[in-house]
Amino acid sequence: MPKFAVIVFPGTNCDFETVEALRKAGGKVERVWYKSSLKDFDGVVLPGGFSYADYLRAGAISARAEIMEEVKALANDGKPILGICNGFQVLTESGLLPGALRPNKVPRFLCKWVYLKVNDTQTAFTQFYEEGEVIRMPIAHAEGNYYANDLNKVKIAFQYSDEKGNIRDDTNPNGSLLNIAGISNEKGNVLGMMPHPERASDRFLGSEDGLRVFKSMVEYAKR
Amino acid sequence: MKWKAKVVVRLKEGLNDPEGRVIGKALQNLGYKIDELKVPKYFELTFESENPEKDVEEMCHRLLANPVIHTYEYQIEPLGE
């Protein structure tokens, strides 16, 4: 059974839910304090929260922590690395994914359910979805407005849409370019997303659509 | 040798500054004819270095600014030995 690390920085607050979702998906999981080592892990999740209180820029301080060098090494080895919300911000700030997450266009914290269109099923986290499938997950962020200088280099995994998969300005909660909700690296083993799949991983929570992100990750890590 | 640096980090031209927009709107509501208001970040630091230009440039590039969305400028002055 593959073993995953859910990294906890000062201010991380979605670690327990993420551990729960990954376990439900069939993985062995440990919460790992950011000053520890990532030896013997088959994949990593950088969960949501407000690491270092979002000081400077969301994810900026965590991205420069020593443990991120180990995350980069694992990413280079082809291991699955997932960043959710604050974790996505850490991945862009550390250069593991292109672009940046700016404050929401509407200047406030957004906390609501959204629809996402699955754009790319060729990643370590989306293989159990169908291309064009529409799924439902919650967002909860103040800095989720995705921006990149060169969108040609960006591999879009999820886009904010309506329930039928139409991608319009009024289905874009935060002002992201091209309604981007999640992207992956070229190889598809590093993915960052603003919506919270762990909060949509049980019917009791209102949706199970997010569970397949973790199931895909577990399956991918078995290879 | 000790130095003092004043660093200003700005959003690149054309990028939306929601905080600036809200503050600008509040000033408009107070009756001022504001066209645009931006909120750069300002840092002051004292530090020891043999090569202050290089170090401040590096600090800006590696942490204080995000080169994807920011530009930066700085002034450095000596604080003495």
Side-chain angles (χ1 to χ4, degrees), chain A:
Chain A
M1 193 190 283
K3 191 172 139 196
F4 300 100
V6 173
I7 299 181
V8 182
F9 293 105
T12 293
N13 65 15
C14 298
D15 41 330
F16 286 99
E17 298 91 322
T18 305
V19 166
E20 203 57 43
L22 252 178
R23 275 197 190 132
K24 194 178 171 190
K28 207 175 158 193
V29 197
E30 268 179 42
R31 288 170 66 246
V32 174
W33 183 236
Y34 77 112
K35 292 205 167 171
S36 321
S37 163
L38 291 177
K39 216 171 156 238
D40 302 329
F41 286 103
D42 304 302
V44 172
V45 184
L46 300 159
F50 298 87
S51 61
Y52 293 93
D54 279 355
Y55 285 167
L56 188 60
R57 297 177 301 277
I61 310 285
S62 304
R64 277 89 184 165
E66 237 177 84
I67 198 168
M68 288 309 295
E69 293 308 314
E70 283 189 83
V71 174
K72 283 177 191 170
L74 287 171
N76 284 335
D77 281 351
K79 308 274 189 202
I81 312 290
L82 172 65
I84 301 166
C85 197
N86 190 235
F88 186 12
Q89 293 156 344
V90 174
L91 288 176
T92 56
E93 279 284 343
S94 64
L96 270 162
L97 288 174
L101 291 147
R102 303 172 295 168
N104 297 338
K105 193 172 180 186
V106 184
R108 60 167 182 257
F109 186 84
L110 293 167
C111 185
K112 61 178 192 174
W113 285 82
V114 295
Y115 290 101
L116 304 174
K117 186 179 180 182
V118 181
N119 190 60
D120 181 4
T121 55
Q122 306 296 309
T123 80
F125 311 90
T126 53
Q127 57 176 323
F128 288 144
Y129 294 100
E130 281 170 36
E131 205 176 309
E133 186 180 348
V134 178
I135 54 178
R136 204 169 146 265
M137 279 183 211
I139 53 167
H141 60 246
E143 298 185 32
N145 179 354
Y146 183 77
Y147 175 80
N149 294 320
D150 183 2
L151 278 168
N152 290 323
K153 289 180 184 161
V154 175
K155 269 187 84 188
I156 303 171
F158 300 108
Q159 283 171 294
Y160 300 109
S161 72
D162 67 11
E163 58 194 288
K164 288 181 177 159
N166 298 307
I167 292 157
R168 300 187 308 262
D169 277 353
D170 65 351
T171 65
N172 188 345
N174 53 28
S176 285
L177 290 180
L178 301 180
N179 285 39
I180 285 173
I183 62 166
S184 77
N185 65 345
E186 197 61 39
K187 272 177 11 191
N189 70 312
V190 180
L191 186 135
M193 61 192 296
M194 288 315 295
H196 286 266
E198 81 282 8
R199 295 187 194 177
S201 59
D202 194 293
R203 272 168 206 219
F204 178 72
L205 298 170
S207 168
E208 246 184 348
D209 287 348
L211 188 60
R212 280 178 283 165
V213 168
F214 301 105
K215 283 188 169 169
S216 299
M217 184 177 184
V218 171
E219 199 57 35
Y220 182 89
K222 283 181 185 167
R223 285 190 205 166

Side-chain angles (χ1 to χ4, degrees), chain A residues 56-57 60-61 64 92-93 98-107 145 147-149, chain B residues 9 11-12 15-16 18-19 21-22 41 43 61-70:
Chain A
L56 188 60
R57 297 177 301 277
I61 310 285
R64 277 89 184 165
T92 56
E93 279 284 343
L101 291 147
R102 303 172 295 168
N104 297 338
K105 193 172 180 186
V106 184
N145 179 354
Y147 175 80
N149 294 320
Chain B
V9 175
L11 274 171
K12 281 182 182 168
L15 289 185
N16 181 32
E19 189 181 355
R21 223 169 57 224
V22 171
K41 277 205 167 112
F43 305 86
H61 191 79
R62 294 179 68 189
L63 180 64
L64 297 180
N66 179 335
V68 178
I69 51 174
H70 292 136

